Amino acid sequence: MPKHPKKPAEKKPPLTHFLCLPLLTPSSIPQFKASLAHLKASVPSKPAKEVNTPGGNGADEGAQEKALEPLFSPKALRPLGALHLTLGVMSLGDEEKLEAAKAFLGTLDPASDLRKASPGGEEDGKSTAASPTSPPTSEARESQQAPLSPLVISLEGLFEFHRPQKATRLLAEPVDPTGRLLPFARAVRQRSMDAGILVPEERELKLHATLVNTVYVRGGRGKGGGGKRRIEFDGRELIKMFEERGGGVVVQDSGEEVVGRYVWARDVVLDRLQICEMGAQKVEDEDMGQEYRVVAEKRILDGQ
């Protein structure tokens, strides 16, 4: 039987915006500035490709010298102004869709979602083994009636989702001692997907801040075709340093190396949701480096 030609795959609409929780505040900016500088200084070296060195006479002529180069290009380090936690991505191809997304953000009630994510709340109950018909405890009732406190996190450690020996990205984890961040973010994401604002995503939400991404290095976008190559590096040494050895920071009093996860910033207040345009742009502030253009935002708590 004659083979029927395969229909070309339907081209997906381009991604244009994303919904996020920004990480930069007056108190977190100096912390991130110092910790990102420490990361840059901690990038190990690797043997560079052999290069021919012009020699003198005799045996030295054409001698090859092994040089060292950084594990990855400095362009892979994300700038301070680009730090955020992504909840989902959007494809807003025209002004009408963009205005609809902005209007939807205005209708959200993030304070309600945060209360439901608090101990004893609806979202909190989804992650426990308690029966959904069990009456709330007195502690849970008191928690639900108490004034809401803001989300305050730390950003810690360093990891890679798949194979650290062939990494393209390095990420840091947001840590919330109250346990509200993830159920809150899941609820906002699901509500936004149900409304058709976010591109549907079946994978579990894993909040992270991207600190290194080789896609921003020239030639690093793509998966190998069309003259573009996937730039990989062995991230195990860096991950071990920042995940297990406190970033190699030495305690001045004892002279001993810190053990444990490196903390990029403490007491980071997450006070708003933002819709940002994809593609960070260079800004005049050299400390920030680049920033994403914010097209809409919504405070999580009134008066925050």
Side-chain angles (χ1 to χ4, degrees):
M1 293 179 65
K3 291 184 178 180
H4 296 287
K6 289 184 179 179
K7 291 183 180 180
E10 206 172 301
K11 195 172 182 180
K12 294 182 180 179
L15 301 177
T16 60
H17 297 76
F18 59 91
L19 179 65
C20 72
L21 291 160
L23 290 169
L24 301 183
T25 68
S27 63
S28 72
I29 287 173
Q31 295 184 72
F32 281 126
K33 182 180 176 182
S35 57
L36 291 179
H38 178 55
L39 172 62
K40 183 176 182 180
S42 301
V43 175
S45 299
K46 65 176 182 178
K49 293 180 180 178
E50 291 183 343
V51 293
N52 287 329
T53 305
N57 298 317
D60 289 336
E61 189 170 353
Q64 289 190 326
E65 178 185 272
K66 281 192 175 180
L68 294 177
E69 64 181 10
L71 183 64
F72 47 76
S73 167
K75 292 182 179 179
L77 294 163
R78 299 305 292 135
L80 171 62
L83 294 182
H84 64 274
L85 304 175
T86 300
L87 273 64
V89 295
M90 304 174 176
S91 180
L92 309 176
D94 54 50
E95 194 65 27
E96 184 179 347
K97 290 180 179 178
L98 175 58
E99 290 303 317
K102 291 161 69 173
F104 170 77
L105 185 65
T107 67
L108 285 179
D109 185 0
S112 175
D113 287 326
L114 184 58
R115 187 172 291 283
K116 291 174 183 177
S118 301
E122 293 176 22
E123 295 300 322
D124 174 68
K126 291 179 183 179
S127 59
T128 66
S131 166
T133 58
S134 300
T137 63
S138 58
E139 291 85 355
R141 285 194 297 269
E142 289 176 9
S143 173
Q144 287 297 294
Q145 294 168 1
L148 274 174
S149 59
L151 277 170
V152 182
I153 68 160
S154 59
L155 200 70
E156 303 180 9
L158 198 65
F159 69 97
E160 204 277 341
F161 277 134
H162 305 293
R163 294 181 296 171
Q165 69 273 28
K166 290 192 174 183
T168 59
R169 299 190 302 166
L170 292 177
L171 318 165
E173 179 188 11
V175 177
D176 171 23
T178 69
R180 298 177 298 165
L181 174 59
L182 188 54
F184 167 76
R186 283 173 177 162
V188 173
R189 183 177 81 152
Q190 189 60 54
R191 201 179 302 281
S192 303
M193 287 194 294
D194 291 345
I197 301 301
L198 290 183
V199 173
E201 176 60 78
E202 295 182 358
R203 290 175 297 182
E204 182 182 354
L205 177 61
K206 296 180 179 179
L207 291 171
H208 61 274
T210 302
L211 303 184
V212 176
N213 193 344
T214 60
V215 77
Y216 297 103
V217 179
R218 184 181 293 276
R221 191 176 294 274
K223 296 185 178 179
K228 298 174 182 178
R229 60 194 178 94
R230 180 183 173 96
I231 299 177
E232 300 174 339
F233 60 92
D234 189 341
R236 288 175 291 185
E237 183 179 342
L238 266 180
I239 289 173
K240 188 170 185 178
M241 177 184 293
F242 285 90
E243 190 68 24
E244 301 176 14
R245 300 202 303 263
V249 178
V250 174
V251 179
Q252 297 299 322
D253 293 338
S254 64
E256 294 180 359
E257 193 176 77
V258 175
V259 176
R261 305 182 89 191
Y262 183 75
V263 179
W264 304 94
R266 291 181 170 85
D267 300 325
V268 181
V269 179
L270 304 181
D271 64 353
R272 69 195 70 193
L273 293 160
Q274 288 182 339
I275 296 176
C276 295
E277 192 176 275
M278 286 196 172
Q281 301 297 316
K282 189 174 181 179
V283 293
E284 291 183 4
D285 188 331
E286 292 184 2
D287 288 339
M288 291 296 177
Q290 296 177 3
E291 292 179 353
Y292 292 98
R293 188 172 78 89
V294 179
V295 299
E297 68 176 31
K298 176 82 172 185
R299 292 274 181 173
I300 294 175
L301 300 179
D302 291 333
Q304 198 179 44

mmCIF file of all heavy atoms in Angstrom, residues 202-233:
data_model
loop_
_atom_site.group_PDB
_atom_site.id
_atom_site.type_symbol
_atom_site.label_atom_id
_atom_site.label_comp_id
_atom_site.label_asym_id
_atom_site.label_seq_id
_atom_site.Cartn_x
_atom_site.Cartn_y
_atom_site.Cartn_z
ATOM 1 N N GLU A 202 0.881 19.751 32.506
ATOM 2 C CA GLU A 202 0.529 18.605 33.344
ATOM 3 C C GLU A 202 1.623 18.261 34.350
ATOM 4 O O GLU A 202 1.366 17.586 35.344
ATOM 5 C CB GLU A 202 0.241 17.380 32.469
ATOM 6 C CG GLU A 202 -0.992 17.550 31.572
ATOM 7 C CD GLU A 202 -1.277 16.307 30.762
ATOM 8 O OE1 GLU A 202 -0.492 15.329 30.863
ATOM 9 O OE2 GLU A 202 -2.276 16.308 30.011
ATOM 10 N N ARG A 203 2.832 18.720 34.088
ATOM 11 C CA ARG A 203 3.916 18.405 35.011
ATOM 12 C C ARG A 203 3.723 19.108 36.341
ATOM 13 O O ARG A 203 3.177 20.210 36.403
ATOM 14 C CB ARG A 203 5.263 18.795 34.396
ATOM 15 C CG ARG A 203 5.690 17.936 33.241
ATOM 16 C CD ARG A 203 6.979 18.461 32.616
ATOM 17 N NE ARG A 203 6.793 19.801 32.054
ATOM 18 C CZ ARG A 203 7.750 20.468 31.418
ATOM 19 N NH1 ARG A 203 8.954 19.914 31.285
ATOM 20 N NH2 ARG A 203 7.509 21.669 30.911
ATOM 21 N N GLU A 204 4.197 18.463 37.378
ATOM 22 C CA GLU A 204 4.092 19.035 38.716
ATOM 23 C C GLU A 204 4.890 20.332 38.798
ATOM 24 O O GLU A 204 5.969 20.456 38.220
ATOM 25 C CB GLU A 204 4.643 18.026 39.740
ATOM 26 C CG GLU A 204 4.551 18.492 41.183
ATOM 27 C CD GLU A 204 5.159 17.493 42.149
ATOM 28 O OE1 GLU A 204 5.549 16.393 41.705
ATOM 29 O OE2 GLU A 204 5.263 17.825 43.344
ATOM 30 N N LEU A 205 4.347 21.304 39.501
ATOM 31 C CA LEU A 205 5.031 22.581 39.661
ATOM 32 C C LEU A 205 6.215 22.412 40.613
ATOM 33 O O LEU A 205 6.070 21.949 41.738
ATOM 34 C CB LEU A 205 4.065 23.627 40.226
ATOM 35 C CG LEU A 205 4.660 25.011 40.508
ATOM 36 C CD1 LEU A 205 5.193 25.642 39.228
ATOM 37 C CD2 LEU A 205 3.615 25.913 41.164
ATOM 38 N N LYS A 206 7.391 22.782 40.128
ATOM 39 C CA LYS A 206 8.607 22.743 40.939
ATOM 40 C C LYS A 206 9.208 24.147 40.931
ATOM 41 O O LYS A 206 9.907 24.529 39.990
ATOM 42 C CB LYS A 206 9.607 21.715 40.388
ATOM 43 C CG LYS A 206 9.093 20.282 40.457
ATOM 44 C CD LYS A 206 10.117 19.296 39.902
ATOM 45 C CE LYS A 206 9.601 17.858 39.985
ATOM 46 N NZ LYS A 206 10.598 16.892 39.426
ATOM 47 N N LEU A 207 8.902 24.896 41.961
ATOM 48 C CA LEU A 207 9.360 26.282 42.017
ATOM 49 C C LEU A 207 10.877 26.342 42.142
ATOM 50 O O LEU A 207 11.483 25.583 42.897
ATOM 51 C CB LEU A 207 8.713 26.998 43.207
ATOM 52 C CG LEU A 207 7.206 27.240 43.094
ATOM 53 C CD1 LEU A 207 6.657 27.745 44.422
ATOM 54 C CD2 LEU A 207 6.890 28.211 41.973
ATOM 55 N N HIS A 208 11.473 27.267 41.406
ATOM 56 C CA HIS A 208 12.926 27.414 41.439
ATOM 57 C C HIS A 208 13.302 28.771 40.870
ATOM 58 O O HIS A 208 12.526 29.398 40.144
ATOM 59 C CB HIS A 208 13.598 26.314 40.596
ATOM 60 C CG HIS A 208 13.206 26.363 39.152
ATOM 61 N ND1 HIS A 208 12.069 25.730 38.672
ATOM 62 C CD2 HIS A 208 13.768 26.996 38.078
ATOM 63 C CE1 HIS A 208 11.966 25.959 37.370
ATOM 64 N NE2 HIS A 208 12.980 26.736 36.980
ATOM 65 N N ALA A 209 14.475 29.223 41.217
ATOM 66 C CA ALA A 209 15.058 30.416 40.609
ATOM 67 C C ALA A 209 16.237 29.960 39.768
ATOM 68 O O ALA A 209 17.103 29.212 40.242
ATOM 69 C CB ALA A 209 15.517 31.400 41.682
ATOM 70 N N THR A 210 16.280 30.390 38.518
ATOM 71 C CA THR A 210 17.369 29.998 37.619
ATOM 72 C C THR A 210 18.565 30.917 37.835
ATOM 73 O O THR A 210 18.454 32.135 37.690
ATOM 74 C CB THR A 210 16.911 30.068 36.157
ATOM 75 O OG1 THR A 210 15.771 29.215 35.974
ATOM 76 C CG2 THR A 210 18.021 29.619 35.218
ATOM 77 N N LEU A 211 19.708 30.322 38.173
ATOM 78 C CA LEU A 211 20.932 31.092 38.399
ATOM 79 C C LEU A 211 21.907 30.963 37.238
ATOM 80 O O LEU A 211 22.706 31.874 36.985
ATOM 81 C CB LEU A 211 21.610 30.641 39.694
ATOM 82 C CG LEU A 211 20.766 30.729 40.975
ATOM 83 C CD1 LEU A 211 21.604 30.333 42.178
ATOM 84 C CD2 LEU A 211 20.184 32.114 41.156
ATOM 85 N N VAL A 212 21.859 29.826 36.545
ATOM 86 C CA VAL A 212 22.743 29.579 35.398
ATOM 87 C C VAL A 212 21.910 28.945 34.296
ATOM 88 O O VAL A 212 21.119 28.035 34.558
ATOM 89 C CB VAL A 212 23.908 28.628 35.773
ATOM 90 C CG1 VAL A 212 24.755 28.305 34.541
ATOM 91 C CG2 VAL A 212 24.766 29.218 36.880
ATOM 92 N N ASN A 213 22.074 29.435 33.058
ATOM 93 C CA ASN A 213 21.364 28.839 31.929
ATOM 94 C C ASN A 213 22.174 29.077 30.659
ATOM 95 O O ASN A 213 22.343 30.223 30.222
ATOM 96 C CB ASN A 213 19.965 29.446 31.778
ATOM 97 C CG ASN A 213 19.091 28.641 30.827
ATOM 98 O OD1 ASN A 213 19.588 27.826 30.058
ATOM 99 N ND2 ASN A 213 17.790 28.875 30.885
ATOM 100 N N THR A 214 22.687 27.995 30.077
ATOM 101 C CA THR A 214 23.555 28.142 28.900
ATOM 102 C C THR A 214 22.791 28.500 27.635
ATOM 103 O O THR A 214 23.402 28.759 26.598
ATOM 104 C CB THR A 214 24.344 26.844 28.637
ATOM 105 O OG1 THR A 214 23.430 25.766 28.403
ATOM 106 C CG2 THR A 214 25.244 26.506 29.823
ATOM 107 N N VAL A 215 21.458 28.551 27.710
ATOM 108 C CA VAL A 215 20.695 28.947 26.534
ATOM 109 C C VAL A 215 21.002 30.399 26.154
ATOM 110 O O VAL A 215 20.796 30.814 25.000
ATOM 111 C CB VAL A 215 19.176 28.748 26.787
ATOM 112 C CG1 VAL A 215 18.618 29.849 27.665
ATOM 113 C CG2 VAL A 215 18.403 28.675 25.474
ATOM 114 N N TYR A 216 21.522 31.168 27.127
ATOM 115 C CA TYR A 216 21.825 32.575 26.867
ATOM 116 C C TYR A 216 23.237 32.778 26.323
ATOM 117 O O TYR A 216 23.636 33.910 26.054
ATOM 118 C CB TYR A 216 21.619 33.391 28.139
ATOM 119 C CG TYR A 216 20.184 33.367 28.603
ATOM 120 C CD1 TYR A 216 19.792 32.569 29.671
ATOM 121 C CD2 TYR A 216 19.210 34.111 27.945
ATOM 122 C CE1 TYR A 216 18.464 32.525 30.082
ATOM 123 C CE2 TYR A 216 17.891 34.073 28.342
ATOM 124 C CZ TYR A 216 17.519 33.277 29.414
ATOM 125 O OH TYR A 216 16.210 33.232 29.801
ATOM 126 N N VAL A 217 23.973 31.699 26.164
ATOM 127 C CA VAL A 217 25.288 31.772 25.551
ATOM 128 C C VAL A 217 25.106 31.648 24.041
ATOM 129 O O VAL A 217 24.301 30.839 23.571
ATOM 130 C CB VAL A 217 26.207 30.645 26.074
ATOM 131 C CG1 VAL A 217 27.575 30.710 25.408
ATOM 132 C CG2 VAL A 217 26.333 30.736 27.586
ATOM 133 N N ARG A 218 25.839 32.419 23.281
ATOM 134 C CA ARG A 218 25.693 32.368 21.821
ATOM 135 C C ARG A 218 25.860 30.933 21.315
ATOM 136 O O ARG A 218 26.832 30.255 21.629
ATOM 137 C CB ARG A 218 26.735 33.265 21.150
ATOM 138 C CG ARG A 218 26.598 33.347 19.630
ATOM 139 C CD ARG A 218 27.680 34.220 19.037
ATOM 140 N NE ARG A 218 27.519 35.617 19.424
ATOM 141 C CZ ARG A 218 26.718 36.484 18.799
ATOM 142 N NH1 ARG A 218 26.011 36.080 17.758
ATOM 143 N NH2 ARG A 218 26.638 37.730 19.201
ATOM 144 N N GLY A 219 24.872 30.465 20.568
ATOM 145 C CA GLY A 219 24.919 29.106 20.045
ATOM 146 C C GLY A 219 24.330 28.079 20.993
ATOM 147 O O GLY A 219 24.317 26.892 20.687
ATOM 148 N N GLY A 220 23.812 28.537 22.142
ATOM 149 C CA GLY A 220 23.324 27.582 23.132
ATOM 150 C C GLY A 220 21.843 27.322 23.105
ATOM 151 O O GLY A 220 21.322 26.626 23.962
ATOM 152 N N ARG A 221 21.127 27.890 22.145
ATOM 153 C CA ARG A 221 19.687 27.672 22.072
ATOM 154 C C ARG A 221 19.388 26.542 21.091
ATOM 155 O O ARG A 221 19.943 26.481 20.022
ATOM 156 C CB ARG A 221 18.987 28.953 21.618
ATOM 157 C CG ARG A 221 17.480 28.909 21.767
ATOM 158 C CD ARG A 221 16.881 30.249 21.390
ATOM 159 N NE ARG A 221 17.286 31.293 22.314
ATOM 160 C CZ ARG A 221 16.654 31.559 23.463
ATOM 161 N NH1 ARG A 221 15.625 30.827 23.828
ATOM 162 N NH2 ARG A 221 17.073 32.536 24.240
ATOM 163 N N GLY A 222 18.507 25.642 21.501
ATOM 164 C CA GLY A 222 18.147 24.549 20.607
ATOM 165 C C GLY A 222 18.663 23.221 21.121
ATOM 166 O O GLY A 222 19.281 23.128 22.166
ATOM 167 N N LYS A 223 18.389 22.163 20.377
ATOM 168 C CA LYS A 223 18.737 20.807 20.806
ATOM 169 C C LYS A 223 19.626 20.100 19.796
ATOM 170 O O LYS A 223 19.582 18.896 19.640
ATOM 171 C CB LYS A 223 17.460 19.997 21.060
ATOM 172 C CG LYS A 223 16.611 20.552 22.205
ATOM 173 C CD LYS A 223 15.434 19.666 22.493
ATOM 174 C CE LYS A 223 14.619 20.189 23.656
ATOM 175 N NZ LYS A 223 13.449 19.346 23.954
ATOM 176 N N GLY A 224 20.395 20.871 19.090
ATOM 177 C CA GLY A 224 21.370 20.223 18.226
ATOM 178 C C GLY A 224 21.144 20.409 16.741
ATOM 179 O O GLY A 224 22.029 20.181 15.948
ATOM 180 N N GLY A 225 19.950 20.843 16.332
ATOM 181 C CA GLY A 225 19.691 20.972 14.908
ATOM 182 C C GLY A 225 19.905 22.384 14.421
ATOM 183 O O GLY A 225 20.040 23.333 15.174
ATOM 184 N N GLY A 226 19.944 22.523 13.107
ATOM 185 C CA GLY A 226 19.995 23.842 12.494
ATOM 186 C C GLY A 226 21.213 24.645 12.868
ATOM 187 O O GLY A 226 21.160 25.871 12.931
ATOM 188 N N GLY A 227 22.338 23.978 13.107
ATOM 189 C CA GLY A 227 23.551 24.699 13.423
ATOM 190 C C GLY A 227 23.622 25.187 14.857
ATOM 191 O O GLY A 227 24.588 25.827 15.250
ATOM 192 N N LYS A 228 22.600 24.912 15.635
ATOM 193 C CA LYS A 228 22.602 25.317 17.038
ATOM 194 C C LYS A 228 22.883 24.098 17.894
ATOM 195 O O LYS A 228 22.447 22.992 17.600
ATOM 196 C CB LYS A 228 21.253 25.932 17.413
ATOM 197 C CG LYS A 228 20.939 27.197 16.629
ATOM 198 C CD LYS A 228 19.541 27.681 16.933
ATOM 199 C CE LYS A 228 19.209 28.921 16.112
ATOM 200 N NZ LYS A 228 17.835 29.385 16.340
ATOM 201 N N ARG A 229 23.603 24.304 18.967
ATOM 202 C CA ARG A 229 23.960 23.153 19.791
ATOM 203 C C ARG A 229 23.561 23.394 21.236
ATOM 204 O O ARG A 229 23.468 24.525 21.704
ATOM 205 C CB ARG A 229 25.470 22.893 19.710
ATOM 206 C CG ARG A 229 26.328 24.037 20.186
ATOM 207 C CD ARG A 229 27.764 23.867 19.780
ATOM 208 N NE ARG A 229 28.580 25.001 20.202
ATOM 209 C CZ ARG A 229 29.253 25.045 21.330
ATOM 210 N NH1 ARG A 229 29.214 24.032 22.175
ATOM 211 N NH2 ARG A 229 29.971 26.104 21.646
ATOM 212 N N ARG A 230 23.341 22.323 21.914
ATOM 213 C CA ARG A 230 22.997 22.351 23.332
ATOM 214 C C ARG A 230 24.307 22.400 24.120
ATOM 215 O O ARG A 230 25.126 21.489 24.039
ATOM 216 C CB ARG A 230 22.193 21.098 23.673
ATOM 217 C CG ARG A 230 21.749 20.972 25.109
ATOM 218 C CD ARG A 230 21.041 19.632 25.245
ATOM 219 N NE ARG A 230 20.720 19.324 26.628
ATOM 220 C CZ ARG A 230 19.542 19.566 27.180
ATOM 221 N NH1 ARG A 230 18.592 20.129 26.476
ATOM 222 N NH2 ARG A 230 19.306 19.242 28.439
ATOM 223 N N ILE A 231 24.520 23.470 24.865
ATOM 224 C CA ILE A 231 25.772 23.634 25.605
ATOM 225 C C ILE A 231 25.614 23.014 26.990
ATOM 226 O O ILE A 231 24.812 23.478 27.806
ATOM 227 C CB ILE A 231 26.162 25.117 25.712
ATOM 228 C CG1 ILE A 231 26.380 25.695 24.321
ATOM 229 C CG2 ILE A 231 27.413 25.281 26.563
ATOM 230 C CD1 ILE A 231 26.694 27.179 24.305
ATOM 231 N N GLU A 232 26.336 21.946 27.221
ATOM 232 C CA GLU A 232 26.257 21.224 28.492
ATOM 233 C C GLU A 232 27.564 21.372 29.263
ATOM 234 O O GLU A 232 28.622 21.645 28.686
ATOM 235 C CB GLU A 232 25.973 19.746 28.234
ATOM 236 C CG GLU A 232 24.660 19.496 27.506
ATOM 237 C CD GLU A 232 24.480 18.030 27.139
ATOM 238 O OE1 GLU A 232 25.510 17.301 27.074
ATOM 239 O OE2 GLU A 232 23.333 17.613 26.909
ATOM 240 N N PHE A 233 27.479 21.188 30.569
ATOM 241 C CA PHE A 233 28.670 21.218 31.411
ATOM 242 C C PHE A 233 28.454 20.282 32.595
ATOM 243 O O PHE A 233 27.323 19.918 32.923
ATOM 244 C CB PHE A 233 28.970 22.645 31.902
ATOM 245 C CG PHE A 233 27.859 23.252 32.725
ATOM 246 C CD1 PHE A 233 27.852 23.124 34.115
ATOM 247 C CD2 PHE A 233 26.818 23.956 32.125
ATOM 248 C CE1 PHE A 233 26.827 23.678 34.876
ATOM 249 C CE2 PHE A 233 25.802 24.515 32.877
ATOM 250 C CZ PHE A 233 25.809 24.372 34.255
#
